[in-house]
Amino acid sequence: MKIEIREQPFNAWQELHGYQETCNELRGKYGATAVFAGTMRDTNASAAVKAMFLEHYPEMTSRYLDKIAHQALQQWTIQDALVLHRVGDIHPEDTIVLIAVWCEHRDEAFQACRFILEELKHRAPFWKKETLSDNTTRWVSSNTPAK
Amino acid sequence: MKIEIREQPFNAWQELHGYQETCNELRGKYGATAVFAGTMRDTNASAAVKAMFLEHYPEMTSRYLDKIAHQALQQWTIQDALVLHRVGDIHPEDTIVLIAVWCEHRDEAFQACRFILEELKHRAPFWKKETLSDNTTRWVSSNTPAK
Amino acid sequence: MTITVKFFSSLRESLDMSSQTLNAQNVATVIDAWNQATNGAKMPDNVLVAINMDYVGRGHQVKDGDEVAFFPPVTGG
Amino acid sequence: MTITVKFFSSLRESLDMSSQTLNAQNVATVIDAWNQATNGAKMPDNVLVAINMDYVGRGHQVKDGDEVAFFPPVTGG
């Protein structure tokens, strides 16, 4: 399992490819991989957004990402998981979060992936501050609802 | 949107990376990508499986994959989708199916990805015949239930 | 009239037949097509049927030029 | 006793303070720590609180050596 907070841009699919290549003990064991990638859009709440600063509370963020992943491991039969989250200065098209879960079967993979995403969005201490096209800034006040 | 039946092995994450690179009109527009990759396991129903033949009904399979993707497009606001499915001789660790859905927000991406997978599993005419370690063969009689 | 009948997967193997062209006068429904193509073999309970690449019920009518396919539950994905 | 108080995001900006060390005698709860660190500023309704990296309620007790963090609703992912 790999859980990391990243200060530099990363390509979600290359990370996934690279990580899975290293998981030799998983080969032939997993039948289902569910993945979510969250990407910065160039528009939010009807305004053009040109950049974003992603603040976090380093020790607590790491602690909660670990905690959330371990709660998923207790609830579902997960063979492996990968969670990457960006912080710092972010631009449109940058990946913000990547969550991948490897399981034997599809239902547990989907459920666990979604669980990790929702828990992360509701409990992990990250905050987004947007810079709009006129250079004004604003803190994002809440996440898009789950449903 | 790309929907393809593949006779040769493919790497799910490289396909995803390559496809997304070509989608220039999507850049900065999608916030959520939900992905499912189904991979052949080396064990099924308590038996070691060394190979699998994936039969299909070519014209009907293509027709149903298109139909299912278009039903998803009607139900959710989808920016793009990628569906790849293997046929022919398959070995453990090979990707069988890759489904990716790009949307603005996460809930619609997850729902549409899952919908396409379940519809594909229940309606698209594919059939799996396994070759076990003692070289006996058996047709897979049904899918793992969704729940 | 001419009807093409196709069989897939375990059904293709058990009937030892993948495709057959019926030049038929007395084929009104899917069941008639099955009976004529298989010489009256018992149709397994779980068989699925498609006419011209669309799922239909066993009582569905067939018409000249139709492609009627029979197969077991699908197991892709 | 010594308590470290931290503020994040919009709260850090509005209070113009990211961290403060309180050498406090009269700090029993989270609210006391807030009041002492902010000189009695009004605590916004939606503020979240963590002690030593775990979420707690506003009435939670604080003890010597604790790190008490205040921040608005989280918006990661």
Side-chain angles (χ1 to χ4, degrees), chain C residues 8 20 28-29 33 38 52 54-55 57 59 70 73 75 77:
Chain C
F8 291 91
Q20 189 180 143
T29 67
T38 66
N52 302 331
D54 260 321
Y55 286 104
F70 297 95
T75 55

Side-chain angles (χ1 to χ4, degrees), chain B residues 48 50 131-137:
Chain B
K50 67 180 195 184
T131 301
L132 306 186
S133 49
D134 61 1
N135 286 322
T136 56
T137 62

Side-chain angles (χ1 to χ4, degrees), chain C residues 1-28:
Chain C
M1 66 187 197
T2 303
I3 294 162
T4 304
V5 180
K6 292 188 170 184
F7 302 96
F8 291 91
S9 179
S10 54
L11 209 54
R12 174 179 53 72
E13 288 189 347
S14 62
L15 295 168
D16 196 19
M17 179 165 44
S18 62
S19 179
Q20 189 180 143
T21 303
L22 303 180
N23 292 298
Q25 299 305 325
N26 300 317
V27 173

Side-chain angles (χ1 to χ4, degrees), chain B residues 55-57 59-60 63-64 67 85 96-97 120-129 139-140 142-143, chain C residues 6-10 12-13 46 48-50 52-55 67-69 71-77:
Chain B
E55 181 172 333
H56 73 310
Y57 177 5
E59 307 87 331
M60 183 170 169
R63 181 170 154 71
Y64 267 78
K67 198 180 243 202
H85 201 293
I96 297 170
V97 62
L120 182 157
K121 288 183 96 81
H122 290 97
R123 297 166 70 206
F126 292 104
W127 303 274
K128 291 172 179 155
K129 186 182 193 177
W139 288 96
V140 175
S142 66
N143 278 317
Chain C
K6 292 188 170 184
F7 302 96
F8 291 91
S9 179
S10 54
R12 174 179 53 72
E13 288 189 347
N46 65 358
L48 299 174
V49 186
N52 302 331
M53 327 298 161
D54 260 321
Y55 286 104
E67 175 167 310
V68 184
F71 46 81
V74 301
T75 55

Side-chain angles (χ1 to χ4, degrees), chain B:
Chain B
M1 192 162 71
K2 182 160 101 173
I3 301 175
E4 286 180 5
I5 292 169
R6 296 285 186 91
E7 299 191 355
Q8 298 301 321
F10 62 88
N11 179 288
W13 317 130
Q14 289 177 332
E15 291 283 341
L16 209 40
H17 178 52
Y19 181 70
Q20 193 177 273
E21 287 286 301
T22 67
C23 299
N24 289 307
E25 72 287 359
L26 280 184
R27 295 189 188 291
K29 303 305 170 204
Y30 57 89
T33 315
V35 181
F36 179 81
T39 307
M40 186 180 160
R41 295 183 302 137
D42 58 16
T43 309
N44 188 29
S46 308
V49 182
K50 67 180 195 184
M52 191 160 78
F53 177 69
L54 233 161
E55 181 172 333
H56 73 310
Y57 177 5
E59 307 87 331
M60 183 170 169
T61 309
S62 297
R63 181 170 154 71
Y64 267 78
L65 294 185
D66 284 349
K67 198 180 243 202
I68 291 164
H70 284 92
Q71 284 177 337
L73 290 179
Q74 287 175 343
Q75 283 188 60
W76 294 279
T77 307
I78 293 172
Q79 297 179 318
D80 207 348
L82 172 65
V83 179
L84 304 180
H85 201 293
R86 267 295 291 289
V87 293
D89 291 311
I90 297 182
H91 295 93
E93 304 177 34
D94 284 1
T95 302
I96 297 170
V97 62
L98 173 66
I99 299 167
V101 178
W102 286 264
C103 294
E104 275 193 37
H105 299 296
R106 68 193 186 281
D107 190 50
E108 53 196 359
F110 271 109
Q111 285 196 41
C113 182
R114 185 76 198 257
F115 171 85
I116 293 171
L117 177 61
E118 295 303 326
E119 291 294 303
L120 182 157
K121 288 183 96 81
H122 290 97
R123 297 166 70 206
F126 292 104
W127 303 274
K128 291 172 179 155
K129 186 182 193 177
E130 296 174 334
T131 301
L132 306 186
S133 49
D134 61 1
N135 286 322
T136 56
T137 62
R138 64 181 185 191
W139 288 96
V140 175
S141 58
S142 66
N143 278 317
T144 307
K147 302 282 171 191

Side-chain angles (χ1 to χ4, degrees), chain A residues 55 57 63 67 123 129, chain D residues 12-13 54-55 67 75 77:
Chain A
E55 181 172 335
Y57 178 4
R63 179 170 156 72
K67 199 180 242 201
R123 297 165 71 205
K129 186 182 193 178
Chain D
R12 174 178 53 71
E13 288 188 348
D54 261 321
Y55 286 104
E67 176 167 311
T75 56

